[in-house]
Amino acid sequence: MASEIVVPRLGWSMEEGVFSAWLKEEGQLVEKGDYLFELEGEKAIQEVETFHAGILSFLKNGPKPGDTVRVGQVLGFLLQEGESPPEEPETPAPSVPAADTPGKPVTDAEVDSRRGDRIPAGRIRITPRA
């Protein structure tokens, strides 16, 4: 079965990055742990490794160097011998929404539902991560 190659989240707040380059050629056999592509995140360019082995297959309309890509977007596939790539997705995969919206105070009801904590009415929860 084909394994999807997707854009990973390189940092907590990362929603998108810049695709830099493929490090392997299409049709090349890659092993688990090989570096497949470079992705520019918020702070640096990072080489992204694979957790699967297979034959590298790019998407026909895949990203070019310098293109912006979203977290979770499919870039290609790792195929087994004799396997053909699955049909390409029409739209990029939606990224996972952030747990909290920055700058939005957490209400008592939200805190109660998420953690079970009790906060007196009218008070705002403050934690070390604030």
Side-chain angles (χ1 to χ4, degrees), residues 100 104-125:
D100 292 319
K104 176 185 165 223
V106 176
T107 66
D108 296 343
E110 289 173 326
V111 171
D112 284 345
S113 68
R114 284 191 282 169
R115 301 194 56 177
D117 296 342
R118 296 281 178 204
I119 298 175
R123 304 219 34 201
I124 297 175
R125 179 182 177 86

Side-chain angles (χ1 to χ4, degrees), residues 9-10 16 30 64 74 86 90 103:
R9 184 179 307 273
L10 300 179
E16 61 185 23
V30 295
K64 308 288 184 262
V74 176
E90 292 181 19

Side-chain angles (χ1 to χ4, degrees), residues 16-96:
E16 61 185 23
V18 177
F19 181 81
S20 296
W22 285 104
L23 300 175
K24 300 287 185 179
E25 298 293 323
E26 186 166 23
Q28 186 173 358
L29 179 64
V30 295
E31 298 296 325
K32 182 179 176 178
D34 285 353
Y35 292 107
L36 290 180
F37 61 95
E38 290 180 340
L39 181 65
E40 183 176 347
E42 298 165 343
K43 298 182 180 183
I45 295 176
Q46 185 170 339
E47 293 177 332
V48 179
E49 68 179 291
T50 180
F51 297 106
H52 304 282
I55 299 168
L56 183 59
S57 174
F58 300 153
L59 293 179
K60 291 177 189 172
N61 296 321
K64 308 288 184 262
D67 286 353
T68 299
V69 291
R70 305 231 359 119
V71 170
Q73 179 177 336
V74 176
L75 302 176
F77 299 95
L78 289 174
L79 310 172
Q80 299 307 311
E81 189 69 38
E83 185 177 29
S84 58
E87 197 170 307
E88 293 185 24
E90 292 181 19
T91 56
S95 63
V96 177

